[in-house]
Amino acid sequence: MTYEFILVESQFQPHISLIRLNRPKELNALNLQLMQEIKHALYELDNNEDVRCIIITGNEKAFAAGADIKQMESKTAIDMLKIDQFETWDQIRKTKKPVIAAVSGFCLGGGCELAMTCDMIVASETAKFGQPEIKLAIMPGAGGTQRLTRAVGKALAMEMVLTGKFISAQEAFDSGLINRVVPEEIYLDEAVKLAKEIAQQSPIAIRLAKESVLKAFDSGLQEGLFFERKNFYMCFASEDQKEGMNAFVEKRKPEFKGK
Ligand code: DAK
């Protein structure tokens, strides 16, 4: 598939892929095609054995300023139902490999929801996060009321969702929404640094660990602990576990093969 609104480098760095949203004039507004392209690219990269971590980014001015308002403006509820964008978003969420959002500039509405669907967020000091849908007389529809609330707590989430106010990268960091805030010149490098740390671990253990952390969002403690336990046992079925522990004992660096 050739992409019109994203750029994909599957080997941006060894084992690390980059998806760049590429509608700069529209501040990377997420139209339907762009979302389909992200879904498709993530699926391909998720099934590429050479890839161990994926970064999604935009440009300095915008990660994404939200879903494409011009495309949504005239839609009816039934149009929205028929388009069923949730299938696309659900597929994105199901990516098994770790996905890092590298965010600079506007990260709003669906853009913020896309970043929150990723596993970690690295932001530039210039990033602005917000759920301004309320100003359009709608509300977040791709997880914004749920993921934001779980990340930053009720007080701030309620204020952001009900007033549409933006928060700075520093506020986002202080409230637990993002992992890092760094100068604009190095936000992508910083995301790559984080991706490299992940890429050098066992891909099998990474997959099981990611799955387990995500389980904490939609299960009670007992169910989550049970799920974690099964995935923990599963790690011992991998060659990587033997390699990891053997390397420790032999005082050498492990070489993980994803087997
Ligand atoms: N959609 C379409 N075009 C957009 C856009 C957007 N969200 N954001 C910006 N643009 C376009 C502008 O219209 C302008 O285009 P031209 O006029 O040059 O043709 C160009 O990008 C540059 O924008 P500005 O001239 O406005 O730039 P400024 O620096 O002055 O302002 C801004 C930047 C980010 C403050 C402003 O552009 C703005 O407020 N943008 C809208 C932000 C917003 O309200 N975002 C939330 C959209 S609603 C769903 C999943 C998700 C969603 C819905 C459904 N399902 C799964 C069903 C999500 C909904 C949303 O995100």
Side-chain angles (χ1 to χ4, degrees):
M1 183 170 172
T2 51
Y3 300 120
E4 186 179 348
F5 297 125
I6 61 172
L7 303 169
V8 180
E9 287 183 64
S10 62
Q11 289 295 325
F12 180 65
Q13 300 268 325
H15 301 305
I16 298 167
S17 305
L18 185 80
I19 299 177
R20 189 184 284 282
L21 313 188
N22 192 30
R23 288 187 82 200
K25 280 197 205 120
E26 295 82 5
L27 304 181
N28 291 330
L30 306 169
N31 64 17
L32 293 174
Q33 185 181 329
L34 191 153
M35 290 309 299
Q36 285 289 338
E37 290 182 4
I38 295 176
K39 175 181 104 169
H40 188 273
L42 280 175
Y43 182 82
E44 295 273 298
L45 297 172
D46 213 20
N47 287 290
N48 179 339
E49 288 261 326
D50 290 335
V51 176
R52 293 188 177 186
C53 191
I54 301 161
I55 299 172
I56 301 184
T57 195
N59 55 50
E60 281 65 28
K61 184 138 193 244
F63 177 75
D68 191 325
I69 300 169
K70 293 166 193 166
Q71 197 175 45
M72 279 187 298
E73 185 191 358
S74 61
K75 295 274 186 291
T76 66
I78 302 303
D79 292 335
M80 295 301 275
L81 182 81
K82 282 186 180 161
I83 294 168
D84 191 17
Q85 271 200 74
F86 294 107
E87 193 269 333
T88 307
W89 286 80
D90 285 347
Q91 277 305 321
I92 290 172
R93 185 177 52 81
K94 284 182 190 155
T95 307
K96 297 179 200 80
K97 289 176 184 160
V99 184
I100 299 171
V103 173
S104 181
F106 297 112
C107 185
L108 307 175
C112 190
E113 290 172 312
L114 178 62
M116 290 190 292
T117 305
C118 298
D119 302 306
M120 281 174 274
I121 304 176
V122 172
S124 105
E125 287 163 347
T126 58
K128 291 180 190 64
F129 297 84
Q131 298 289 161
E133 290 91 336
I134 204 74
K135 296 183 176 173
L136 303 166
I138 60 165
M139 58 174 278
T145 62
Q146 303 304 300
R147 291 198 180 93
L148 185 67
T149 308
R150 281 167 164 80
V152 307
K154 178 184 163 191
L156 183 56
M158 199 60 99
E159 191 174 335
M160 288 172 72
V161 170
L162 299 192
T163 70
K165 91 166 195 167
F166 299 167
I167 58 169
S168 68
Q170 191 58 49
E171 284 173 283
F173 179 76
D174 294 342
S175 59
L177 181 62
I178 66 175
N179 297 73
R180 308 242 198 295
V181 47
V182 295
E184 189 180 278
E185 307 77 73
I186 60 162
Y187 76 98
L188 187 54
D189 294 340
E190 193 68 18
V192 170
K193 217 189 290 173
L194 186 56
K196 277 186 180 162
E197 279 183 51
I198 294 165
Q200 69 189 19
Q201 315 303 332
S202 159
I204 294 173
I206 287 283
R207 173 174 164 177
L208 294 171
K210 167 175 168 167
E211 226 176 68
S212 301
V213 173
L214 287 179
K215 189 73 181 172
F217 284 98
D218 55 18
S219 66
L221 182 61
Q222 282 312 317
E223 190 192 341
L225 288 173
F226 190 63
F227 187 88
E228 177 190 74
R229 207 159 300 166
K230 293 214 158 191
N231 277 358
F232 174 77
Y233 289 143
M234 181 81 85
C235 292
F236 283 77
S238 71
E239 286 176 23
D240 283 350
Q241 174 269 329
K242 299 288 173 291
E243 167 65 7
M245 294 195 177
N246 192 251
F248 176 81
V249 173
E250 292 179 353
K251 298 188 189 300
R252 61 178 173 82
K253 212 170 167 265
E255 254 189 60
F256 295 123
K257 298 198 172 99
K259 291 186 179 162

